Amino acid sequence: MRESLDTLRNEFLDRIGDGASEQEVERLRVEFLGRKGKLTLMFRGLKEVSPEERPGLGEALNDLRRFVEEKLESRLRELRQREKERSLKAETVDITLPGSRWERGRVHPLTLVMDEITDVFLAMGFEIARGPDIEDDYHNFEALNMPPDHPARDMQDTLFVSEARLLRTHTSPVQIRVMETRKPPLQVIAPGAVYRHDDDATHSPMFHQVEGFMVDSQIAFSDLKGVLTHFLRQIFRPETGVRFRPSFFPFTEPSAEIDIQCLLCDGKGMTQERQACRVCKGTGWLEILGAGMIDPEVFRFVGYDPDRVSGFAFGMGVERIAMLKYGIEDIRLFFQNDLRFLRQFA
Amino acid sequence: MNFTLSWLREFVDFKRSAQELAQTLTMAGLEVESLLALPSRQEKHEDWVMAVAVTPNRGDCLGILGLAREVAALTGGHVRLPPVLPHAKGSGIDRLVDVEILSPDLCPRYSARMVLGVHVAAAPDWMKTRLEACGIRSINNVVDVTNYVMLETGQPLHAFDADRLATKRIVVREAGAIEKLTTLDGVERELAPGDLLICDGATPIALAGVMGGSESEVQWDTHGVLLESAHFHPACVRRAAKRLAIHSEASHRFERGVDPEGTLYALDRAAFLLVEVAGAAPVEGVVDRYPRRAKPASIVLREKKVSALLGVDLPRRETERILKALGMKVRGRSKAAVRVVPPSYRRDLAREADLIEEVARLYGYEKIPSTLPLVRPAGGGLDRRLPRERKLRAFLLGEGLTEMINLPFTSAEMNQRFRGLWGGERRPVAILNPLAQDKAELRLSLIPGLLENLRTNLAHKARSFHGFDFAKVFALDARGAAAEKQQLAGLFYGPRERTGLRSKDGTPPTFLEVKGIIEGIFEVLGIGPEPACSKSDIGAFLHPANAAVVRLGDRDVGYLGEIHPDFCEASGLEPFVVFELDFEGLAEYAPRQLTARPLPRFPCVERDLAVVVDDAFPAERIVRWIKGLNHALIEDVEVFDQYRGSPIPEGKKSLAYTISYRADDRTLTDSEVNQLHQQLAARIGGLFGAQLRM
């Protein structure tokens, strides 16, 4: 009987060999362990064996049954694993189809640029101030050293809401409002909407400015150069060429107009095809900021002593900077709010 | 100011090329806007037209002479003056004309010369060419000479036909109440008190500094010419020119300041040219009334102030060299300062700061170093608003809304329909000089702008449009005072879009979904009190039922709702929802102070409660009532379902609530919770006439 145990074991091992499928494993289970299975029958045959041999043989039979069961079980696991892997591989997601998510909203490009400008100045220790869009003549003009009948008022064609009130033509009145209520040191920027009686491809009746100023006991023109050069290189490129040239604003003295090297032709004034650059009109420079040392007259209006304090002020057009940064040629695109335009900005 | 370089060379020598000169002038504050080569027969004599943008403070540069002075100062050259014909001594002119100034403050100086026997004809070609290159149309030799001299000197001249003057008495006076003058352009102008007139006796013949009258203009048969070279008050000229909308070469210059000392030179130069090009015979003598001679400014320039303001130490020698190059006279020196008298043509130089600018300008801005100032804490405090604005935007972007920026102008009709959140007594702000009649008011609400954006995008075949606008609205109160506030509005048209394969089951956001976004805004802004929706009349543009006011405490801070179906039908639009919130009002609520709670130690038991109520019963009432109990074991309550239809009878609905019970010191037993829940259910049934569904 011992020999037939070994034969059975070998037969089982032969049968469970590589090719076996799940059904085959099941058939093997029935054939060996079923009610009429070969092992079951041998268990029954134990009765025929002498009582001395029975315990040893019983033990051997039990070992064989455990062995068969474990083998069947592990074979089955193996087959199922293989089947799972095969079916997983057979799944057919087209991984080249587009991804899917909810469409995000977009922030307006002017807000993007406004935030960038604001962040550079916040990092330099400036704070934010705000003022009304409907201003009075005093804050918009007079206290900025533009008395009635001053020709500089021509530079800013005004929209009026009454005889005495107007839509601010620049953010500079915020400068006056802050200085009226506070004492130096001050380093402030005032972002906001401004309005002019003007409407074409490069002028909008509403546009945005960021005004900034710094007042303390010893602020010099060289500081204006340093702060604004740093700002421009943050907003444009670190190697951007910057030039300061004399200009005129009633509320600053000395005054400066600040240009950066043309972003399109890199300041060459010419395209690679030797054509005059259309962005800088061949000059190689783009006007980007107006600035200057705050005029002593302005300090008198707000009750500061020009012999004790000095400061600089500057102003810039947000649309202009956005147009240069993104290569936008028509200012009206900002206010048409066409999603096809707005969605170009991340 | 346009001029040719050949003309400039008559006044000053310079070695630079046209491009180099343009660069020099630009970097000295005289921005060259264009430089155009003039066609020329000989290469050697090439000529250029240069256009310089002269800033309003530099009236002296509105003549070639002034520009030549700048070029000389910048390049170290010398200015030379072109030939003149000085008047012969004698009183010939006094017998022909008399001048009386009645308003000396507005006319500090009036000079005049006379020539006879002119042959009025076309000006010679060389003169015409130059005038035209500089943008001035040629009229005849006499008028051309006055313009030519104005371009040279910056001093506007006027030529009167002497024979057409009836009284031979020039009177300079202010206009009376009802006077008229037909100007050279043939337009009859109504004059106003304050206008300065040049009169022939009592009859106005010119609007001083602005434009001459047609009655006395030089014509083809003119023989005698009275040349006026005067100085008028800048503001007086500007007021008249502005009011009458005349912008002449003369008014442009007078507004910006003309050299009061230059009147006689201009007359002598004009006389020289009239003899040359019109065969004129000069009358001996000159009239020169100068009742208000301006005292030259005398300015102290402190060395320390120069270095402190510019941030560079300039040797005094350099400062003085610059001042002298600009024609200033040094009248005194001390250890720390110099006293300087600017030339009469630099009327913009009156203060120390003005001189410092001149020093910086000629020294060169590019040579001043760049420094970074020490930033001292200003004590202004951190900006509370910016972080909130940025959080708000980020939230809205995440909800799929795109930001719009709209112009604030709208029509009276739109303002009548969309009154926003302003109370009834507020009126729109009107623009006195609008760009167009449909842009004549400032918006009361942001909704019209968003509707316009919707239309724009639908016209471009957008499938849906979810946009917000975060900007100011404006109104006048009963007393006419203007108010403005920052507001937020949103519009949701069509289903929110997804990227990738198109799904078919998208639906446009509902009232409740938009209400959810508003709740999200309050959450993001950290506003303590919870917003409540209540029915109120907001405007006929909203759906009569699916619309609500958003209240915070006892204040209306916004509204939301479906646009009225009539409006949608009329515009061919599907139904959609909008909202508008008063950000300014919300900003007043300080962000809630956050304090973290520890996690609960004992489990929570939830029990549902379903009630059948009238259809109109607001679900929130039961939530509020339960919360109002402040029961120690009731942690939370929320409504989670609403149902209408079988088996619920008509006119009724079923509302389902979940109530969370928790004790913070033990685990609640089932029987304890059941008892509590049944009591609660019974009270709700009684209080609200609700039938319980168990």
Side-chain angles (χ1 to χ4, degrees):
Chain A
M1 197 145 178
R2 287 241 179 219
E3 297 88 83
S4 47
L5 269 182
D6 284 342
T7 319
L8 199 62
R9 181 187 171 96
N10 287 337
E11 186 195 340
F12 175 76
L13 282 173
D14 275 354
R15 299 274 305 279
I16 200 155
D18 301 36
S21 71
E22 220 171 304
Q23 290 97 321
E24 248 173 279
V25 174
E26 209 41 53
R27 264 205 305 279
L28 269 180
R29 185 193 302 280
V30 174
E31 197 178 324
F32 283 82
L33 301 174
R35 276 200 306 143
K36 288 176 184 166
K38 291 178 176 164
L39 254 170
T40 319
L41 291 177
M42 286 188 86
F43 270 105
R44 286 196 195 135
L46 270 182
K47 280 180 269 174
E48 323 285 312
V49 180
S50 66
E52 305 83 65
E53 275 181 297
R54 211 178 285 161
L57 204 56
E59 200 174 325
L61 261 176
N62 269 327
D63 281 352
L64 181 59
R65 185 171 64 186
R66 253 197 307 278
F67 175 78
V68 167
E69 277 170 355
E70 273 167 23
K71 266 288 172 211
L72 285 170
E73 211 40 57
S74 75
R75 184 73 194 142
L76 210 55
R77 268 203 308 272
E78 207 176 292
L79 286 170
R80 285 192 182 137
Q81 183 62 30
R82 218 182 278 168
E83 172 60 27
K84 195 170 157 192
E85 277 167 20
R86 211 187 51 219
S87 78
L88 281 180
K89 276 181 193 156
E91 273 179 30
T92 54
V93 168
D94 181 351
I95 55 167
T96 67
L97 283 174
S100 179
R101 62 177 151 74
W102 289 114
E103 187 67 73
R104 280 177 309 122
R106 303 302 160 95
V107 71
H108 196 283
L110 290 177
T111 304
L112 274 181
V113 173
M114 191 75 107
D115 279 351
E116 263 186 75
I117 295 170
T118 308
D119 285 342
V120 176
F121 285 108
L122 288 180
M124 282 196 275
F126 282 70
E127 56 174 297
I128 294 178
R130 297 174 182 83
D133 290 23
I134 298 178
E135 259 299 356
D136 51 40
D137 188 87
Y138 176 81
H139 288 93
N140 196 74
F141 290 122
E142 220 175 315
L144 288 160
N145 202 22
M146 275 186 271
D149 303 315
H150 194 289
R153 289 193 177 200
D154 276 353
M155 294 156 90
Q156 306 181 354
D157 215 342
T158 311
L159 287 160
F160 290 92
V161 302
S162 74
E163 201 124 312
R165 279 168 312 170
L166 45 88
L167 292 177
R168 65 177 175 192
T169 56
H170 46 183
T171 40
S172 309
V174 183
Q175 201 190 114
I176 302 297
R177 289 184 177 275
V178 171
M179 289 197 286
E180 275 174 345
T181 51
R182 291 179 44 195
K183 293 277 164 243
L186 290 173
Q187 43 271 331
V188 174
I189 54 165
V194 301
Y195 308 86
R196 307 255 174 107
H197 199 288
D198 229 345
D199 201 359
D200 60 46
T202 50
H203 298 91
S204 167
M206 176 190 79
F207 57 103
H208 296 80
Q209 281 188 342
V210 177
E211 170 87 7
F213 62 99
M214 185 161 191
V215 182
D216 203 348
S217 50
Q218 289 180 48
I219 301 295
F221 190 86
S222 59
D223 296 326
L224 176 158
K225 282 188 75 175
V227 166
L228 294 181
T229 303
H230 172 76
F231 163 73
L232 288 169
R233 291 186 170 158
Q234 294 275 306
I235 287 287
F236 295 103
R237 303 170 193 150
E239 69 282 3
T240 304
V242 177
R243 81 176 182 186
F244 292 72
R245 58 185 166 78
S247 187
F248 168 77
F249 304 105
F251 35 93
T252 51
E253 187 95 2
S255 301
E257 200 88 64
I258 298 143
D259 304 333
I260 54 165
Q261 252 167 1
C262 179
L263 303 166
L264 189 74
C265 64
D266 286 325
K268 292 187 202 72
M270 222 173 271
T271 61
Q272 283 177 334
E273 296 79 38
R274 317 279 306 154
Q275 299 283 309
C277 172
R278 70 191 150 77
V279 173
C280 62
K281 313 238 161 35
T283 62
W285 294 97
L286 300 168
E287 213 172 288
I288 203 90
L289 279 166
M293 302 305 292
I294 296 173
D295 195 286
E297 223 37 57
V298 173
F299 282 145
R300 282 196 194 96
F301 271 108
V302 298
Y304 288 5
D305 178 354
D307 270 335
R308 284 166 186 271
V309 297
S310 59
F312 62 79
F314 55 89
M316 67 191 92
V318 179
E319 279 78 0
R320 176 154 174 83
I321 292 178
M323 286 168 89
L324 292 172
K325 263 183 100 84
Y326 300 124
I328 297 163
E329 289 187 9
D330 191 333
I331 197 169
R332 290 171 290 207
L333 274 172
F334 290 119
F335 307 111
Q336 277 158 6
N337 295 299
D338 190 321
L339 290 172
R340 296 171 303 174
F341 172 71
L342 298 176
R343 283 189 177 152
Q344 295 172 33
F345 302 93
Chain B
M1 168 81 193
N2 291 10
F3 60 96
T4 63
L5 288 196
S6 62
W7 204 349
L8 181 67
R9 281 181 200 282
E10 288 177 9
F11 287 78
V12 63
D13 290 321
F14 50 91
K15 294 210 172 64
R16 288 162 211 228
S17 71
Q19 286 78 7
E20 285 163 351
L21 184 71
Q23 169 77 5
T24 303
L25 288 174
T26 295
M27 292 311 285
L30 289 159
E31 189 189 357
V32 175
E33 288 187 312
S34 72
L35 184 61
L36 293 171
L38 273 180
S40 135
R41 260 161 277 168
Q42 292 154 286
E43 275 301 301
K44 252 169 70 186
H45 296 286
E46 64 161 17
D47 199 3
W48 299 81
V49 179
M50 197 177 261
V52 173
V54 177
T55 51
N57 58 327
R58 293 301 304 273
D60 64 302
C61 287
L62 292 170
I64 293 165
L65 175 59
L67 291 163
R69 288 180 182 131
E70 279 290 307
V71 172
L74 289 163
T75 63
H78 291 282
V79 172
R80 91 185 140 248
L81 295 175
V84 292
L85 181 69
H87 62 271
K89 291 260 185 297
S91 55
I93 191 168
D94 298 328
R95 285 195 293 276
L96 296 171
V97 69
D98 182 31
V99 173
E100 189 182 1
I101 301 173
L102 296 180
S103 306
D105 290 331
L106 303 183
C107 177
R109 188 176 194 183
Y110 195 104
S111 314
R113 280 188 72 175
M114 205 163 205
V115 294
L116 299 173
V118 295
H119 298 282
V120 178
D125 283 346
W126 62 265
M127 186 175 273
K128 273 192 190 167
T129 314
R130 271 195 175 166
L131 288 177
E132 273 155 20
C134 301
I136 288 182
R137 195 163 50 94
S138 170
I139 310 281
N140 59 47
N141 51 5
V142 175
V143 174
D144 286 5
V145 163
T146 62
N147 283 329
Y148 191 88
V149 174
M150 175 185 70
L151 286 176
E152 283 194 336
T153 62
Q155 169 68 54
L157 298 178
H158 188 68
F160 294 104
D161 183 334
D163 302 319
R164 287 187 168 84
L165 301 179
T167 68
K168 313 293 179 200
R169 227 180 104 247
I170 298 292
V171 178
V172 186
R173 63 165 172 87
E174 285 179 59
I178 33 163
E179 287 193 88
K180 284 179 181 167
L181 171 70
T182 304
T183 42
L184 283 173
D185 50 11
V187 181
E188 191 185 61
R189 313 276 181 176
E190 297 211 5
L191 305 170
D195 289 352
L196 190 65
L197 301 179
I198 312 300
C199 300
D200 171 13
T203 316
I205 50 169
L207 186 56
V210 181
M211 197 176 271
S214 61
E215 285 292 306
S216 56
E217 93 181 282
V218 171
Q219 294 176 19
W220 297 107
D221 61 354
T222 296
H223 286 284
V225 171
L226 177 71
L227 278 174
E228 165 199 290
S229 179
H231 189 73
F232 301 118
H233 193 281
C236 164
V237 172
R238 182 177 158 81
R239 272 194 299 269
K242 263 283 231 227
R243 199 191 75 249
L244 297 168
I246 305 173
H247 189 91
S248 65
E249 293 282 343
S251 71
H252 187 76
R253 284 172 175 79
F254 279 121
E255 283 177 30
R256 284 157 180 76
V258 173
D259 179 10
E261 295 299 315
T263 58
L264 294 180
Y265 174 78
L267 282 178
D268 293 349
R269 175 69 179 146
F272 175 87
L273 289 168
L274 282 175
V275 170
E276 194 181 307
V277 308
V283 173
E284 64 181 21
V286 64
V287 176
D288 188 19
R289 305 278 180 269
Y290 200 170
R292 293 281 188 275
R293 194 180 288 265
K295 222 178 98 201
S298 174
I299 311 163
V300 175
L301 179 63
R302 293 165 292 175
E303 212 168 323
K304 268 215 179 101
K305 192 73 184 170
V306 177
S307 56
L309 202 67
L310 297 182
V312 62
D313 283 324
L314 283 182
R316 179 187 287 217
R317 233 174 337 119
E318 175 69 358
T319 309
E320 282 195 23
R321 181 195 68 77
I322 289 170
L323 296 175
K324 282 178 186 159
L326 288 166
M328 289 180 236
K329 298 207 162 55
V330 175
R331 279 286 149 77
R333 289 185 181 84
S334 73
K335 247 200 213 140
V338 285
R339 181 174 287 280
V340 170
V341 176
S344 63
Y345 49 83
R346 289 301 304 272
R347 296 171 57 85
D348 57 316
L349 305 181
R351 308 165 306 161
E352 188 180 36
D354 302 329
L355 296 186
I356 295 173
E357 177 172 66
E358 290 303 287
V359 170
R361 196 168 68 81
L362 270 273
Y363 176 71
Y365 281 10
E366 70 279 8
K367 282 194 264 174
I368 296 173
S370 281
T371 54
L372 284 178
L374 181 71
V375 172
R376 292 203 284 147
L382 278 175
D383 189 54
R384 279 179 201 285
R385 195 156 136 181
L386 186 72
R388 290 182 121 192
E389 287 185 2
R390 288 186 173 178
K391 274 183 172 176
L392 180 66
R393 274 204 180 84
F395 170 73
L396 294 170
L397 299 190
E399 292 295 329
L401 287 118
T402 293
E403 185 182 22
M404 308 285 131
I405 295 184
N406 285 306
L407 304 185
F409 312 109
T410 191
S411 64
E413 192 216 337
M414 283 310 240
N415 267 340
Q416 258 159 32
R417 263 169 109 165
F418 302 94
R419 295 193 46 86
L421 288 157
W422 300 101
E425 71 276 23
R426 299 284 187 149
R427 285 174 296 121
V429 178
I431 310 272
L432 297 185
N433 54 335
L435 285 132
Q437 270 319 305
D438 62 343
K439 294 175 185 155
E441 291 188 356
L442 294 181
R443 62 188 168 206
L444 292 168
S445 159
L446 298 173
I447 299 295
L450 287 173
L451 289 174
E452 182 66 34
N453 302 147
L454 170 64
R455 265 189 283 273
T456 302
N457 283 288
L458 292 182
H460 295 134
K461 303 265 182 290
R463 277 198 295 274
S464 60
F465 171 83
H466 292 191
F468 75 94
D469 193 348
F470 182 55
K472 280 182 177 174
V473 293
F474 308 84
L476 297 175
D477 67 16
R479 286 171 300 123
E484 49 191 84
K485 48 186 187 181
Q486 187 78 16
Q487 218 142 285
L488 172 72
L491 187 156
F492 303 78
Y493 188 88
R496 182 172 176 188
E497 286 181 48
R498 281 194 73 88
T499 64
L501 302 182
R502 207 175 304 161
S503 67
K504 292 178 196 73
D505 50 354
T507 51
T510 59
F511 177 92
L512 289 181
E513 281 167 323
V514 174
K515 185 182 174 189
I517 286 175
I518 290 176
E519 287 164 352
I521 290 169
F522 280 71
E523 197 176 297
V524 162
L525 295 179
I527 290 169
E530 278 183 34
C533 276
S534 63
K535 291 261 179 230
S536 174
D537 184 27
I538 301 136
F541 66 99
L542 285 181
H543 192 289
N546 301 340
V549 161
V550 182
R551 313 204 80 195
L552 206 51
D554 57 353
R555 281 180 53 189
D556 292 350
V557 293
Y559 63 84
L560 76 157
E562 243 176 61
I563 290 284
H564 199 288
D566 288 351
F567 179 91
C568 292
E569 267 167 47
S571 324
L573 297 168
E574 301 292 320
F576 62 100
V577 181
V578 298
F579 76 86
E580 188 159 25
L581 287 178
D582 174 11
F583 180 79
E584 209 86 41
L586 298 184
E588 285 170 22
Y589 291 86
R592 192 175 39 208
Q593 177 63 45
L594 289 179
T595 313
R597 282 189 306 271
L599 295 177
R601 289 165 57 215
F602 298 96
C604 162
V605 183
E606 289 184 350
R607 290 285 186 275
D608 291 349
L609 171 73
V611 292
V612 175
V613 288
D614 282 349
D615 222 356
F617 182 85
E620 200 187 26
R621 274 180 69 188
I622 289 177
V623 175
R624 281 189 187 265
W625 180 80
I626 296 176
K627 283 190 175 169
L629 295 174
N630 284 320
H631 194 288
L633 300 182
I634 298 177
E635 189 182 59
D636 198 12
V637 53
E638 53 188 30
V639 55
F640 72 89
D641 193 30
Q642 171 186 263
Y643 175 74
R644 289 188 182 90
S646 171
I648 309 295
E650 188 90 349
K652 301 264 179 188
K653 65 180 171 184
S654 160
L655 291 171
Y657 299 83
T658 293
I659 300 158
S660 309
Y661 298 92
R662 195 201 300 270
D664 48 18
D665 57 351
R666 66 206 146 95
T667 301
L668 291 175
T669 62
D670 262 1
S671 62
E672 200 178 357
V673 170
N674 289 345
Q675 200 190 345
L676 199 56
H677 191 65
Q678 272 158 24
Q679 282 170 4
L680 199 65
R683 287 183 69 188
I684 286 170
L687 265 173
F688 300 103
Q691 184 197 334
L692 303 178
R693 295 175 78 207
M694 285 296 188

